[in-house]
Amino acid sequence: MSVVKVSEAATALPRAWSSTVLGRVGTAAVKVLRMDEVPVEEERHAEPEALLVLDGRLELDVDGEVVTMGPGEMYVVAAGTAHAVRPGSSGTLVIVEAEAEAEAEAEAAADRPTGRPSPGMLAR
């Protein structure tokens, strides 16, 4: 595999909150997406997911607690934990998630019309 220019991959995405898989590590998919200050509804995942802010700011509500992250900071959301993106989150986000869930959500996304983010968009 060649070197991946993560920021360029994020910039090339057609819209905010859509993602692209940069690579796979074991059973995990490594994705990148752009945040655009729009909140994303609460969601839960069967597996934990790691959220790494490359640039900008991510504001989460995790089980009722506010979590704020800046460039170079990472947060691991435990499996089954309710979390939502708060208004004002913007920048570039890398997500590492279990591949089985990633594949199922990608199939669901392919069937969903484009437009406003819906539950589960964080993982896409």
Side-chain angles (χ1 to χ4, degrees), residues 47-93:
E47 300 291 332
E49 68 177 351
L51 307 173
L52 170 64
V53 177
L54 290 186
D55 59 71
R57 178 183 181 113
L58 174 59
E59 299 258 354
L60 291 174
D61 184 344
V62 181
D63 263 348
E65 179 182 329
V66 175
V67 175
T68 301
M69 296 179 295
E73 294 182 320
M74 183 180 81
Y75 185 83
V76 177
V77 180
T81 301
H83 59 288
V85 176
R86 298 171 57 86
S89 298
S90 64
T92 307
L93 181 67

Side-chain angles (χ1 to χ4, degrees), residues 15-18 33 40 43 112 116-124:
R15 66 184 189 285
W17 300 111
S18 67
L33 62 80
V40 176
E43 59 187 10
R112 187 179 309 115
R116 187 153 168 85
S118 63
M121 287 303 284
L122 245 187
R124 279 184 259 314

